[in-house]
Amino acid sequence: MTNQMKALSKLHPREGLWMVDAPVPEVGPDDVLIKINKTGICGTDIHIWNWDDWAAATVPVPMITGHEFAGEIVELGRNVTDLEIGQRCSGEGHLIGKTSRQSRAGKFHLDPATRGIGVNEQGAFAQYLRLPAFNVVPLPDDIPDEIGAILDPLGNAVHTALSFDLIGEDVLITGAGPIGIMAAAVARHVGARHVVITDVNPDRLALAQQVTDVVAVNVAQEDLGKIVSDLGMKQGFDIGLEMSGNQQALDQMVEAMTMGGRIAMLGIPPGKSPVDWSRIVFKAITIKGVYGREIFETWYKMIAMLQNGLDVSRVITHQFPVDRYAEGFAEMKSGRSGKVVLDWT
Ligand code: NAD
Ligand code: ZN
């Protein structure tokens, strides 16, 4: 193996990403080296590409970006005994500390010292990725690399959707981005009654209906209240999954919830946003913030569901060889795509 690799790097503090030659990372005693086969482009990568205020304040330059990946293990650190060379894998991109109260209680996803690959540490848009062996998630043979490359955002969807019991419940999802659409598929899979997804982008709503059996509502044109009564729902939604980061969507969700409804919020509003707290109080609504994936319970559940009939494959609308990464980013930025996957092989 040579000690140089191709990687997509944030080389300069301005718009864009650049294909560079970088050293293959050296593995420490508790790490593995993963040869990357496929990667997914995330909204986070678009922020980094655009070099918006968040990216400029968060990401040191140069930085190899990317955190959604599937590949295979090619090297083991000397303390790693429970994994094998050749093992296909994906992995958790949040690198956690082990000393906080939360980590010591086994709630790894709540560790305040979490660092992200492709954001704070060199990432997965490269031919090789160094990852702590702890973070590796082996891929069963029946899960292909392109699905392995989107387990990170599917994990966001699963973590959010499984925040509350959905069996027999009426579920409202605001935002038909890739994660909202996958959450709709999960809600269906686990036995929700009505699953309604909203957006203002017709392409995204059409994609939602291709991926799963969902009622898609364009709230720029249609009245959500009318659709609710057409469905025969007597009260509001039992469960809300906020996946747009849009203030109006959250507002509409609170309005559409039933008394005692529960909301899981994954969407990240761009700044402080005003909320009518009195409605939340009078409706006795529970709101749960959701960050990342539960390490590793979300991974376990999503792989089990994928092996048991959950199908999110159609959310991948584009695949490109990595040399055409600029086209992949353009598709993502168009707002029309689902997940875009880059092939590094
Ligand atoms: P996305 O931007 O692709 O999708 C958001 C969708 O919301 C878009 O299709 C947009 O048209 C739609 N939208 C805009 N206004 C709306 C409105 N008024 N009503 C309904 N829909 C509206 O994002 P994504 O990649 O699917 O991610 C979903 C959200 O989750 C984003 O806000 C993202 O930042 C956030 N996120 C959070 C975490 C976390 O750990 N908390 C992780 C990943 C993503
Ligand atoms: Zn991501």
Side-chain angles (χ1 to χ4, degrees):
M1 200 170 81
T2 66
N3 53 5
Q4 290 285 304
M5 64 177 187
K6 280 199 293 185
L8 270 180
S9 174
K10 190 79 200 177
L11 210 52
H12 311 289
R14 55 182 156 86
E15 190 181 349
L17 285 177
W18 292 267
M19 188 65 84
V20 298
D21 286 320
V24 173
E26 282 178 29
V27 300
D30 298 312
D31 300 330
V32 301
L33 189 68
I34 297 167
K35 179 177 157 300
I36 297 294
N37 291 334
K38 296 202 172 167
T39 55
I41 303 178
C42 179
T44 303
D45 305 318
I46 299 298
H47 289 289
I48 297 174
W49 175 288
N50 291 341
W51 206 239
D52 61 14
D53 293 345
W54 170 83
T58 311
V59 181
V61 173
M63 175 62 70
I64 296 172
T65 53
H67 57 270
E68 305 180 356
F69 68 91
E72 66 184 77
I73 297 175
V74 291
E75 195 182 329
L76 301 171
R78 71 180 134 78
N79 294 341
V80 181
T81 52
D82 54 342
L83 291 167
E84 283 177 14
I85 303 238
Q87 172 69 58
R88 291 176 59 248
C89 68
S90 182
E92 174 57 53
H94 284 175
L95 310 182
I96 52 144
K98 304 269 174 64
T99 55
S100 68
R101 174 183 174 186
Q102 292 90 332
S103 283
R104 288 171 67 84
K107 298 175 205 161
F108 299 124
H109 66 294
L110 299 179
D111 178 49
T114 296
R115 296 171 63 74
I117 65 166
V119 176
N120 318 106
E121 304 272 350
Q122 301 301 325
F125 286 167
Q127 287 178 297
Y128 297 95
L129 168 73
R130 172 186 52 217
L131 196 71
F134 176 79
N135 286 56
V136 168
V137 177
L139 283 179
D141 291 342
D142 53 357
I143 297 188
D145 282 341
E146 61 268 24
I147 298 296
I150 65 164
L151 291 182
D152 170 291
L154 175 59
N156 295 136
V158 168
H159 185 184
T160 313
L162 300 189
S163 287
F164 301 114
D165 182 1
L166 299 186
I167 300 170
E169 304 289 13
D170 295 334
V171 178
L172 174 64
I173 300 169
T174 46
I179 301 181
I181 293 173
M182 290 192 282
V186 172
R188 264 279 155 263
H189 185 78
V190 302
R193 180 169 61 175
H194 297 302
V195 182
V196 176
I197 194 164
T198 66
D199 206 297
V200 291
N201 175 337
D203 295 319
R204 286 291 178 71
L205 291 164
L207 180 62
Q209 286 173 309
Q210 282 161 30
V211 173
T212 187
D213 168 24
V214 67
V215 178
V217 183
N218 186 336
V219 287
Q221 293 165 358
E222 296 168 277
D223 176 16
L224 181 61
K226 166 146 193 328
I227 282 150
V228 166
S229 63
D230 288 352
L231 287 172
M233 285 171 57
K234 300 269 182 300
Q235 299 189 26
F237 290 92
D238 306 297
I239 307 288
L241 309 176
E242 206 307 289
M243 305 209 145
S244 74
N246 182 285
Q247 169 59 26
Q248 281 161 0
L250 176 61
D251 214 46
Q252 185 164 45
M253 177 174 277
V254 171
E255 189 66 46
M257 299 300 289
T258 189
M259 283 289 295
R262 287 163 294 168
I263 294 175
M265 252 183 101
L266 183 88
I268 302 171
K272 289 187 183 174
S273 44
V275 178
D276 184 351
W277 284 102
S278 68
R279 275 191 309 164
I280 292 168
V281 172
F282 287 129
K283 282 193 171 182
I285 286 173
T286 301
I287 300 185
K288 178 192 174 195
V290 179
Y291 177 58
R293 296 145 297 281
E294 283 188 13
I295 305 169
F296 286 90
E297 189 62 7
T298 300
W299 290 87
Y300 181 91
K301 292 266 195 186
M302 78 177 142
I303 287 172
M305 285 191 284
L306 286 168
Q307 292 186 301
N308 184 28
L310 174 66
D311 183 1
V312 292
S313 55
R314 275 165 296 192
V315 88
I316 301 174
T317 53
H318 298 80
Q319 295 203 56
F320 293 99
V322 70
D323 296 340
R324 291 169 59 194
Y325 70 92
E327 284 170 68
F329 276 82
E331 285 296 345
M332 276 294 284
K333 285 168 70 167
S334 75
R336 288 187 302 269
S337 74
K339 288 303 291 183
V340 176
V341 168
L342 301 176
D343 188 338
W344 290 80
T345 55

